[in-house]
Amino acid sequence: AQSVTQPDIHITVSEGASLELRCNYSYGATPYLFWYVQSPGQGLQLLLKYFSGDTLVQGIKGFEAEFKRSQSSFNLRKPSVHWSDAAEYFCAVGARGAQKLVFGQGTRLTINP
Amino acid sequence: DADVTQTPRNRITKTGKRIMLECSQTKGHDRMYWYRQDPGLGLRLIYYSFDVKDINKGEISDGYSVSRQAQAKFSLSLESAIPNQTALYFCATSDSSRDGKETQYFGPGTRLLVL
């Protein structure tokens, strides 16, 4: 069965600082991996996804993530955060067909001015 | 995403009441999903539907039922609401593809409070 762990429940960074949100997954086959963002009072917006190919994927809003099979990780990064990045971030893993996405617990990001 | 709409956006109900949450999509996708979100637990799958005649239970289907009235509409019902069903409910859609590389797109959510 698939599982996802986001080790950090809450992270605080200063505006302009770099960001890395961790995601570790457990899945027996090649995973399909996703990062979603939930802004306060909003639904989930897709940031980026990995299906195959280049292990470094670019997403919207200046985010990127790197798939590392050896570490079972798909960490999300941004070189310089903006106050508008304050939100909750969810990592999810799916199988071929994506009919059963399994989500991590989420990481809440706070930005200090 | 305006392509996936959920009604109502907020709802307060009492224990024992029947309630229906509705989801509509204009993306033309054939697959639809219902999730609930609880603090610290992420999202968990309640039911999913691959087409109008194909409905499947998810991880936490007890206490819920669904209806796929048309390709674009997928409703979630709580037959007799209880307080631990207080949560944020999300509908999602995806388009089936031969290579299996599907992405789910989410609605804005319905916040439900059961008193």
Side-chain angles (χ1 to χ4, degrees), chain B residues 13-96:
Chain B
T13 191
K14 295 182 179 179
T15 298
K17 294 292 188 181
R18 184 179 188 275
I19 182 170
M20 179 181 290
L21 309 182
E22 299 186 341
C23 177
S24 295
Q25 52 112 349
T26 58
K27 299 180 81 68
H29 290 171
D30 52 348
R31 299 184 171 187
M32 298 186 74
Y33 312 79
W34 276 105
Y35 292 87
R36 66 176 279 175
Q37 181 185 12
D38 299 278
L41 295 179
L43 279 74
R44 293 178 291 166
L45 183 63
I46 305 172
Y47 270 95
Y48 60 102
S49 170
F50 284 172
D51 63 38
V52 174
K53 296 183 179 181
D54 183 3
I55 293 178
N56 305 277
K57 293 183 178 180
E59 179 186 358
I60 53 165
S61 59
D62 286 349
Y64 301 95
S65 63
V66 291
S67 172
R68 185 84 182 265
Q69 302 94 321
Q71 186 186 39
K73 295 183 181 297
F74 193 35
S75 299
L76 176 72
S77 293
L78 287 66
E79 298 300 326
S80 180
I82 56 177
N84 76 359
Q85 291 178 313
T86 293
L88 182 56
Y89 290 85
F90 285 107
C91 175
T93 73
S94 70
D95 196 16
S96 59

Side-chain angles (χ1 to χ4, degrees), chain A residues 22-39:
Chain A
R22 296 182 291 164
C23 172
N24 295 100
Y25 68 89
S26 174
Y27 185 58
T30 300
Y32 293 163
L33 295 159
F34 306 83
W35 274 100
Y36 288 87
V37 61
Q38 183 182 22
S39 298

Side-chain angles (χ1 to χ4, degrees), chain A residues 1-5 24-29 31 93-95 100-102, chain B residues 59:
Chain A
Q2 304 137 257
S3 68
V4 178
T5 300
N24 295 100
Y25 68 89
S26 174
Y27 185 58
V93 62
K100 290 186 179 181
L101 279 185
V102 173
Chain B
E59 179 186 358

Side-chain angles (χ1 to χ4, degrees), chain A residues 38 41-44, chain B residues 1 4-11 21-22 34-35 37 87-91 106-112:
Chain A
Q38 183 182 22
Q42 303 297 312
L44 272 73
Chain B
D1 191 333
V4 184
T5 58
Q6 293 183 233
T7 56
R9 294 293 311 277
N10 295 279
R11 180 71 183 267
L21 309 182
E22 299 186 341
W34 276 105
Y35 292 87
Q37 181 185 12
L88 182 56
Y89 290 85
F90 285 107
C91 175
F106 287 78
T110 293
R111 191 168 295 278
L112 175 65

Side-chain angles (χ1 to χ4, degrees), chain A residues 3-8 11 20-26 31-36 48 65-69 71-77 89-94 102-107:
Chain A
S3 68
V4 178
T5 300
Q6 293 179 245
D8 304 304
I11 285 182
E20 181 168 28
L21 301 183
R22 296 182 291 164
C23 172
N24 295 100
Y25 68 89
S26 174
Y32 293 163
L33 295 159
F34 306 83
W35 274 100
Y36 288 87
L48 47 77
E66 185 170 13
F67 170 55
K68 293 186 177 180
R69 184 187 301 275
Q71 299 177 19
S72 298
S73 69
F74 189 56
N75 294 348
L76 182 71
R77 300 193 295 248
Y89 292 79
F90 293 94
C91 180
V93 62
V102 173
F103 284 81
Q105 303 93 322
T107 297

